[in-house]
Amino acid sequence: VKPLLAQIDTVSNVASLLRFAAIEEKNGNETLFSFHVLPDQKNSSMNIANLFQGGIGLPNRDYYFKSDSITAAIQDVYKNYLVSLLLLTGTNAATAAKNAATIYAIEKEIAQSHKTRVQLRDVQSNYNKMALTQIEKEQPNIGWSSFFNTIGAHVDSVNMRQPAYYAKLNTLLHTVPLADWKLYLKAYTLKHYANILSRPFQDAEFEYTKVINGQKVPKAHWEVLTIATDQKLGEALGQLYVQRYFPPEAKQRINELVDNLTKAFTERIKKSDWMSDSTKATALEKLNGYSRKIGYPGKWRDYSEVTIDKSKYFENTLACDQNNFDFNLSQLGKPVDKSLW
């Protein structure tokens, strides 16, 4: 991770700060941005660009503002985690404590702009499709065209799910000193990569996460790596699993079972005494419109662009994250591929 921290040291202005954040977005390190390609909620046959609120380290905004004893304890553990990460990279204790307080203060400022978990469930208010020209005008400090060019996304509009966050970021980029932003980026980067660094970083992360999720002891090494492989190279691992546990004759048997279920439902609909003829026709159309996904995809994901080196776990993880980002980005502006799992 040292080269990344060195890159942050070279940041000399807001533009280079944002460029670092945009490049790291492609590595799965969502520091200031949270970009994803997803189906358009008002035209579900097409994929569009989406931006979500981000920039905080605690699970959601409420953790920064509640004052009950449990939340206060979590805040303290999180602040200690920030201190631990800074100590592990060579900062002395007094400076680490001071810098951690600065980082936490930035996050708390950001959290003020976040929607609550309840507000995030309001589908209508979280759909805000905007033209690129509009968000460039409203948030000039962010430099949206540069961001999209850096990540390789060609867009003329974007669904900005939570505009208040990016409006706040636009302001903070002007009001927060650059030196403080660099501290923030270092901490966020260390948090993102902690679980794939050396044992002291993993231990520091666990001391924080165990308070959040209640896990008593760290997972065994084999389990950590199995989960990582499944998350990063899921369909490659899936192919091996299928070869061993789900042969073609098993898929054929399940297909026949689904055939029988479909026939049974068809008969039930036709014989139903509470449906009108037009309702039955619609129900049958819906029944026959189902696409089957049984056992495994008809076309496996291609991981040929991912370079894996048995001796480089950190670099392997980055290669997978970059590939997953590129795969998601490749769907931008295209019809939704319903064959994807």
Side-chain angles (χ1 to χ4, degrees), residues 104-157:
Y104 187 84
I106 294 173
E107 290 189 16
K108 191 170 182 178
E109 277 281 309
I110 289 172
Q112 291 177 1
S113 70
H114 273 222
K115 290 191 174 186
T116 65
R117 287 180 296 174
V118 173
Q119 291 170 329
L120 290 172
R121 293 200 290 265
D122 184 338
V123 176
Q124 294 295 333
S125 69
N126 286 281
Y127 184 91
N128 302 284
K129 195 172 181 180
M130 303 178 181
L132 177 58
T133 52
Q134 178 184 350
I135 61 173
E136 282 187 315
K137 182 178 179 180
E138 293 179 358
Q139 298 151 6
N141 294 332
I142 294 177
W144 281 113
S145 288
S146 295
F147 169 75
F148 287 119
N149 286 335
T150 301
I151 66 171
H154 304 289
V155 301
D156 55 18
S157 64

Side-chain angles (χ1 to χ4, degrees), residues 250-319:
K251 186 164 186 172
Q252 182 181 347
R253 182 168 60 85
I254 301 302
N255 252 319
E256 290 171 358
L257 184 149
V258 175
D259 283 339
N260 292 333
L261 282 171
T262 303
K263 290 174 185 175
F265 273 116
T266 299
E267 291 304 311
R268 285 189 183 187
I269 292 169
K270 287 180 178 178
K271 293 177 181 178
S272 172
D273 58 5
W274 59 271
M275 287 186 183
S276 65
D277 289 342
S278 61
T279 303
K280 289 179 182 179
T282 302
L284 289 170
E285 182 182 358
K286 181 177 181 179
L287 177 62
N288 293 320
Y290 279 114
S291 59
R292 298 183 187 187
K293 293 184 176 179
I294 296 172
Y296 51 88
K299 181 182 179 182
W300 290 103
R301 172 92 172 264
D302 177 16
Y303 294 103
S304 60
E305 296 298 315
V306 181
T307 300
I308 298 295
D309 183 322
K310 199 170 187 177
S311 65
K312 296 182 177 180
Y313 183 53
F314 184 91
E315 289 84 351
N316 292 343
T317 303
L318 258 65

